[in-house]
Amino acid sequence: MKANFEKMTKWELEKAMYILVQAKELGMDMACYGELDVNPNSGYTYLWLEDYDFSLFMPINCDLKRKDVYMLYTDFETGEETKESLEHFENIEDIYEFINTIKNEI
């Protein structure tokens, strides 16, 4: 995973570290190819890892709480994006169960 901590503000860096902690608690393996960065358009701090069908992000204005970390899933056929707070998930299996429900609705 690549990250450019030098360009992050103090607040963005705090959110990046919090996202990593939450990813670890979900059971994600961060040893794969990916990126921990700040989106220049939205200002959101995010974690994208190639081995997962979703990414994690935190908006600009938030607290360092699990409810403020979001899972973002993009359907590659329709381009439709779905986000959901991590407060609704205990682990990766819960996230994939949610994603499969979304896929079945389309």
Side-chain angles (χ1 to χ4, degrees):
M1 171 186 58
K2 83 173 194 179
N4 188 353
F5 297 121
E6 291 81 27
K7 74 174 192 171
M8 291 183 187
T9 65
K10 182 179 185 265
W11 178 233
E12 292 165 345
L13 187 56
E14 286 181 43
K15 290 190 296 184
M17 295 301 105
Y18 190 76
I19 290 171
L20 287 176
V21 168
Q22 295 305 307
K24 181 76 172 155
E25 287 181 3
L26 285 170
M28 296 174 73
D29 178 6
M30 289 164 277
C32 60
Y33 179 77
E35 184 172 67
L36 178 64
D37 206 347
V38 177
N39 181 308
N41 297 314
S42 67
Y44 291 1
T45 304
Y46 69 91
L47 172 65
W48 169 80
L49 298 171
E50 184 176 53
D51 290 352
Y52 298 95
D53 292 340
F54 61 91
S55 57
L56 302 178
F57 75 89
M58 292 185 82
I60 296 170
N61 297 314
C62 61
D63 295 318
L64 293 178
K65 297 185 187 245
R66 189 174 178 92
K67 69 178 181 64
D68 292 325
V69 179
Y70 292 87
M71 175 281 308
L72 176 67
Y73 167 74
T74 303
D75 184 295
F76 292 111
E77 292 180 19
T78 65
E80 186 174 334
E81 293 184 334
T82 303
K83 71 176 184 176
E84 191 68 42
S85 170
L86 282 193
E87 70 181 330
H88 301 288
F89 307 109
E90 298 266 331
N91 51 44
I92 292 175
E93 290 79 20
D94 290 347
I95 292 175
Y96 278 114
E97 184 177 316
F98 177 76
I99 289 171
N100 286 332
T101 301
I102 294 167
K103 286 181 180 179
N104 292 332
E105 291 175 359
I106 296 175

